[in-house]
């Protein structure tokens, strides 16, 4: 008896409305948490019930351990993007999701973060220009964070702490619409706005 496949693809058209403005890049703050502080993960569906966007969007929330929060890193504006590329061979293909972002400081705090992050495993939430949050890092694979620092030179030289981040995932940088619990309060990732309590 042949095995029945239950993950039938759900394809649809990919329209683009002429005149619509697409704003490239990312916003000037990202959130991060060590994976060891995540108690339970939201779910990334393997099949879509209604439309293709379901395959790219986490369902539910990241639940963190007691007294743990998403921390933030402020970024230099207009430096940074998210890239996703297919890797491997069928049927075991995955995506390598990457970003390179710059924090403007090389002070003791930035240096301390760089020293720890060099060998740690994180999940990052990065807000793109349209306000939606995308995820770098998943439960199945390690996230690689490679910090580098540059003091700059001359009057206008580049400076700061650069974080080169790579994360293998089953999906190109999935979207997240759940809650982001920070020390300052809760952010609704679906809107980018604080949640009133």
């Amino acid at each position: 008896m042949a095995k029945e496949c239950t993950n039938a693809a759900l394809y649809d058209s990919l329209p683009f409305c002429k005149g619509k403005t697409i704003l490239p890049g990312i916003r000037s703050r990202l959130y991060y948490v060590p994976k060891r502080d995540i108690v339970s993960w939201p779910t990334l569906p393997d099949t879509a019930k209604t439309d293709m966007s379901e395959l790219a969007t986490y369902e539910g929330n990241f639940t963190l351990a007691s007294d743990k929060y998403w921390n933030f890193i402020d970024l230099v504006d207009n430096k940074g993007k998210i890239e996703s590329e297919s890797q491997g061979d069928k049927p075991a293909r995955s995506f390598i999701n990457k970003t390179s972002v710059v924090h403007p400081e090389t002070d003791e705090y930035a240096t301390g973060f760089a020293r720890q992050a060099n060998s740690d495993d994180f999940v990052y939430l990065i807000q793109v220009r349209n306000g939606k949050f995308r995820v770098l890092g998943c439960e199945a694979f390690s996230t690689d964070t490679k910090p580098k620092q540059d003091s700059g030179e001359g009057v206008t030289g580049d400076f700061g702490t650069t974080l080169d981040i790579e994360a293998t995932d089953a999906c190109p940088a999935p979207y997240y619409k759940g809650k982001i619990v920070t020390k300052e309060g809760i952010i609704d990732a679906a809107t980018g706005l604080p949640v009133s309590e």
Side-chain angles (χ1 to χ4, degrees):
M1 182 172 156
K3 182 177 179 182
E4 183 179 339
C5 293
T6 58
N7 62 339
L10 180 61
Y11 289 106
D12 202 350
S13 298
L14 291 173
F16 178 76
C17 299
K18 294 211 183 289
K20 180 180 178 182
T21 301
I22 303 293
L23 300 175
I26 61 174
R27 296 201 182 181
S28 57
R29 176 173 281 185
L30 66 73
Y31 293 88
Y32 74 95
V33 69
K35 286 187 187 176
R36 64 184 164 276
D37 293 342
I38 300 172
V39 175
S40 65
W41 291 68
T43 304
L44 192 62
D46 288 327
T47 57
K49 297 174 186 164
T50 307
D51 63 64
M52 294 186 300
S53 68
E54 295 172 12
L55 296 171
T57 307
Y58 273 110
E59 296 175 350
N61 298 294
F62 286 98
T63 303
L64 305 183
S66 178
D67 298 325
K68 299 297 181 183
Y69 303 93
W70 288 91
N71 290 303
F72 66 85
I73 299 174
D74 284 331
L75 307 173
V76 175
D77 200 21
N78 294 323
K79 287 196 174 185
K81 62 181 178 177
I82 298 170
E83 297 178 283
S84 296
E85 184 179 346
S86 179
Q87 64 179 359
D89 297 313
K90 292 179 182 178
R93 280 191 180 154
S94 59
F95 289 89
I96 183 76
N97 298 322
K98 303 177 188 178
T99 191
S100 182
V101 294
V102 181
H103 174 69
E105 294 276 8
T106 58
D107 63 4
E108 296 90 339
Y109 287 95
T111 302
F113 173 82
R115 181 178 179 186
Q116 296 177 100
N118 198 42
S119 298
D120 214 335
D121 193 7
F122 296 105
V123 173
Y124 294 92
L125 300 178
I126 303 175
Q127 192 176 25
V128 293
R129 290 275 186 215
N130 65 9
K132 297 178 181 180
F133 282 87
R134 301 192 74 175
V135 182
L136 264 73
C138 71
E139 195 170 10
F141 301 99
S142 294
T143 303
D144 193 11
T145 304
K146 294 180 180 177
K148 60 183 174 185
Q149 292 189 324
D150 191 333
S151 66
E153 63 181 354
V155 178
T156 60
D158 286 340
F159 58 90
T161 301
T162 299
L163 303 175
D164 291 326
I165 300 164
E166 291 188 358
T168 293
D169 204 320
C171 181
Y175 286 85
Y176 178 63
K177 295 183 177 179
K179 302 294 186 274
I180 305 171
V181 180
T182 73
K183 287 182 182 177
E184 295 75 27
I186 300 173
I187 298 166
D188 182 353
T191 64
L193 299 173
V195 174
S196 56
E197 298 184 40

